[in-house]
Amino acid sequence: MSETTLKTERLANGIDVEEQRILSVYELYELVWRHPMYKLARQFGVSDRGLANCCKRYRIPTPPRGHWTKVDTGKSVERPNLQLAQSQMVEVVVFPVANPFDNQKKQTKRERAEAFRKIDQPSIDSCLSDAHPIVASWICDLNCSNSACADCLSSLSLSDFDYYRLRVTSAFFKSIDKIGAQVVQARVDGRFRIQIGSAELKVSIRQKMSEELRHGIDPDNWTAWPEHHGYWLYPTKNMKLSVSGNCVRSLEFVYSRKEVEQYGLKRLVACVAAARKAAARRENERAEIRAKRRAEGQAKKELELKETAMLARWEGFERLADQWNKSQKLLAFLTELRVWANHHALSDEVDTTVSSWLDSVEESIRCEDPLRDLQKILHGDEASSISQSLTNPKPT
């Protein structure tokens, strides 16, 4: 059975397209004529045009326009053959694995959409009499040195732009207080630092500026804080809302006042609320990475200990082999010495002395023989003696 036939049977049994990233040209040809191109492209993590270009590169015919409509209505369709050689049919096609950061972006986007549905619509007050304490302190700092002044709103020098921005800012602070966020730093120019969970965000609610002066705007008295803006920039009637942080990508929105009241401010609050889950997910991922690194470090340490132990055993084995080799040479020399003594006529007194000396030497040599412990084991002595001699051999 040819390789192409085997691949055809594998296709008939079903291929998990979502996990299949490497396949042959013939398999891709079969999939293209079994499923719509846009579905395959989505499952492979590429665009429709990218999949079409891949088929064109490998000379794979694709279904024409209206093909799947005919299939759904039960009409007959023609399927062209794959005009390739056998070696070309089994050529490998590799699709790139989806980037994990793309999945994180999609998940963060879903979390923002879910938070947008759950949170209440922020209510922008028509006046600043019930402003958030932070905004009220700005107003008091602007108009009087006593922050407890009850009539501080009577002498306001705020322009229409400042008045509306402070109302939106007050509504924003009240909304994030409800979801458990904390204002770490708030500047009167509209830049804030927000802490929610383990996420630290930078948020801004500012006037959208332009290099062109709009009609009907006084360039000198449009704000009570002109030092916070460039002298070459002029305000527009739109608001610029932005959010960035250590767990969310930077987002910037430009809305009209009507859009801010309808959904713009709610979208900004939703971004802050979704940052809590993103930060928690990031902490979990970091904890998993740390646990994985600890496990890998522990496994590496255990492997090093095993290798060190094996090396020590091998060195001990080599020392025992050298010791045994030395003892065998001494025994061979002792045997030759006995043969020499037998061939030479020695007096009885000398022969007795030499024999006694040779016996003592032989006993000393056999005591240094490393196989002596093995003999003890074979005779029923302690079984641990050989392992002790292997791990802690006597120095030669």
Side-chain angles (χ1 to χ4, degrees):
M1 185 179 296
S2 65
E3 187 174 356
T4 304
T5 306
L6 291 174
K7 293 181 181 295
T8 306
E9 290 187 355
R10 191 156 69 92
L11 283 166
N13 295 331
I15 294 179
D16 190 356
V17 181
E18 301 212 3
E19 295 184 0
Q20 188 78 5
R21 294 290 176 185
I22 301 177
L23 65 163
S24 67
V25 172
Y26 186 80
E27 287 178 328
L28 182 58
Y29 163 75
E30 289 287 338
L31 290 174
V32 163
W33 286 92
R34 288 173 181 238
H35 307 282
M37 293 279 286
Y38 73 94
K39 290 185 178 180
L40 287 178
R42 187 184 307 168
Q43 293 170 343
F44 280 127
V46 296
S47 62
D48 300 355
R49 176 57 57 185
L51 182 58
N53 291 337
C54 181
C55 293
K56 184 178 180 180
R57 186 184 308 117
Y58 291 99
R59 292 184 293 171
I60 299 175
T62 56
R65 186 182 299 274
H67 171 81
W68 297 107
T69 304
K70 294 180 181 180
V71 172
D72 294 339
T73 55
K75 295 182 180 180
S76 60
V77 293
E78 295 183 0
R79 175 177 170 177
N81 295 327
L82 186 61
Q83 303 295 334
L84 295 175
Q86 180 73 19
S87 59
Q88 295 174 329
M89 288 186 181
V90 297
E91 189 175 350
V92 175
V93 181
V94 180
F95 288 94
V97 180
N99 192 342
F101 291 103
D102 296 339
N103 297 331
Q104 294 179 4
K105 291 180 180 178
K106 293 179 181 178
Q107 187 172 0
T108 304
K109 188 175 181 180
R110 289 193 297 267
E111 290 172 352
R112 287 199 302 266
E114 182 182 358
F116 186 85
R117 291 191 299 268
K118 288 184 177 181
I119 63 175
D120 299 330
Q121 178 69 32
S123 176
I124 302 177
D125 298 330
S126 58
C127 62
L128 290 173
S129 59
D130 190 25
H132 190 273
I134 297 178
V135 178
S137 66
W138 294 342
I139 298 173
C140 291
D141 292 341
L142 177 65
N143 292 275
C144 57
S145 58
N146 185 9
S147 61
C149 178
D151 196 28
C152 61
L153 294 176
S154 61
S155 59
L156 282 178
S157 59
L158 298 175
S159 66
D160 178 65
F161 295 102
D162 295 330
Y163 192 74
Y164 184 75
R165 181 175 65 85
L166 293 181
R167 287 165 50 207
V168 173
T169 303
S170 177
F172 172 73
F173 286 158
K174 291 179 181 179
S175 298
I176 64 174
D177 286 344
K178 295 179 181 178
I179 61 176
Q182 181 183 1
V183 182
V184 179
Q185 182 183 18
R187 296 171 52 179
V188 71
D189 62 351
R191 295 187 178 97
F192 324 118
R193 284 176 54 203
I194 309 297
Q195 185 79 28
I196 179 168
S198 59
E200 184 174 341
L201 307 176
K202 295 180 180 179
V203 182
S204 67
I205 301 178
R206 310 191 75 194
Q207 201 71 31
K208 175 63 178 176
M209 306 298 289
S210 174
E211 295 182 356
E212 298 179 1
L213 179 61
R214 300 297 196 270
H215 179 70
I217 297 177
D218 187 356
D220 297 326
N221 300 316
W222 71 272
T223 178
W225 297 279
E227 67 275 8
H228 295 156
H229 305 277
Y231 65 89
W232 65 91
L233 296 177
Y234 305 99
T236 65
K237 295 184 178 180
N238 296 329
M239 299 293 295
K240 184 174 72 172
L241 314 179
S242 66
V243 58
S244 62
N246 56 352
C247 58
V248 294
R249 65 186 184 94
S250 300
L251 298 174
E252 184 175 305
F253 317 107
V254 177
Y255 296 123
S256 64
R257 293 189 177 186
K258 184 178 179 180
E259 292 172 337
V260 169
E261 296 173 359
Q262 289 180 348
Y263 56 84
L265 185 58
K266 184 178 180 180
R267 186 177 183 184
L268 184 63
V269 176
C271 292
V272 176
R276 186 199 300 273
K277 289 186 177 180
R281 184 175 65 254
R282 184 178 181 181
E283 289 296 326
N284 293 335
E285 291 175 354
R286 287 182 173 179
E288 291 177 359
I289 292 175
R290 288 193 294 267
K292 183 178 179 181
R293 288 179 178 175
R294 284 196 299 268
E296 291 177 352
Q298 185 66 23
K300 184 178 180 181
K301 186 176 181 180
E302 292 178 356
L303 181 60
E304 291 177 352
L305 291 176
K306 290 181 180 179
E307 291 178 352
T308 303
M310 290 295 295
L311 181 61
R313 292 191 185 98
W314 179 253
E315 291 176 352
F317 179 79
E318 288 181 337
R319 286 194 297 269
L320 292 176
D322 294 339
Q323 188 177 352
W324 177 85
N325 190 24
K326 181 180 179 181
S327 64
Q328 295 302 312
K329 289 181 178 180
L330 291 175
L331 289 175
F333 173 73
L334 185 61
T335 303
E336 293 295 330
L337 192 58
R338 289 183 184 277
V339 172
W340 178 86
N342 293 331
H343 282 78
H344 291 76
L346 299 175
S347 62
D348 294 340
E349 183 178 355
V350 174
D351 183 60
T352 303
T353 303
V354 170
S355 299
S356 177
W357 177 76
L358 292 178
D359 292 339
S360 62
V361 169
E362 182 178 2
E363 182 65 24
S364 301
I365 295 174
R366 294 193 181 279
C367 289
E368 297 296 330
D369 189 356
L371 295 181
R372 187 173 185 180
D373 291 330
L374 180 60
Q375 295 175 0
K376 291 181 180 180
I377 293 176
L378 295 177
H379 287 82
D381 293 340
E382 294 183 359
S384 61
S385 59
I386 185 62
S387 61
Q388 293 176 357
S389 63
L390 286 174
T391 54
N392 299 311
K394 298 179 181 179
T396 58

